[in-house]
Amino acid sequence: MGNHLDTPRTGVEAAQLDQHCPARIARERSRGHIRYVNNGMMRIGALMHSFSGAVNNGASVLEIRETLLQTALYSGIPTGMASFRVAEAALAKLEKEDKI
């Protein structure tokens, strides 16, 4: 790819990377779903389900936190804070079930 960070410069290069790493595809799709649900009308059940799906697809707690921070800018701080509360409850439940 040529640059010092080894990040794709075009959509084609990104697609080529994704073909070689199916776990990355699932993880990014899960993060995208969290963004979609969070930016729309706040649906607590759907958001909790998205968090557990993201963890099952290999997303870390740090990646989920990063996704929520990004969406808080678009959906507004009150919705962002509410989503963090839902995430805290969902991740606590997953930790209790030894899935994290």
Side-chain angles (χ1 to χ4, degrees), residues 16-36:
Q16 289 170 348
L17 281 177
D18 286 345
Q19 289 175 358
H20 300 294
C21 187
R24 178 178 170 201
I25 295 169
R27 195 170 52 241
E28 290 303 313
R29 188 173 42 238
S30 293
R31 291 179 68 197
H33 192 262
I34 290 171
R35 287 184 198 104
Y36 173 75

Side-chain angles (χ1 to χ4, degrees), residues 19-82:
Q19 289 175 358
H20 300 294
C21 187
R24 178 178 170 201
I25 295 169
R27 195 170 52 241
E28 290 303 313
R29 188 173 42 238
S30 293
R31 291 179 68 197
H33 192 262
I34 290 171
R35 287 184 198 104
Y36 173 75
V37 171
N38 196 26
N39 281 334
M41 218 159 64
M42 183 77 170
R43 293 182 186 94
I44 293 173
L47 198 52
M48 288 189 83
H49 183 71
S50 296
F51 293 133
S52 64
V55 169
N56 289 339
N57 285 329
S60 69
V61 174
L62 183 62
E63 289 173 323
I64 292 171
R65 184 182 308 145
E66 176 185 295
T67 303
L68 291 175
L69 282 172
Q70 291 169 359
T71 57
L73 296 173
Y74 294 105
S75 62
I77 299 301
T79 302
M81 294 303 294

Side-chain angles (χ1 to χ4, degrees), residues 1 3 5-18 24:
M1 281 176 251
N3 65 3
L5 296 176
D6 288 334
T7 55
R9 286 183 261 163
T10 65
V12 173
E13 289 178 354
Q16 289 170 348
L17 281 177
D18 286 345
R24 178 178 170 201

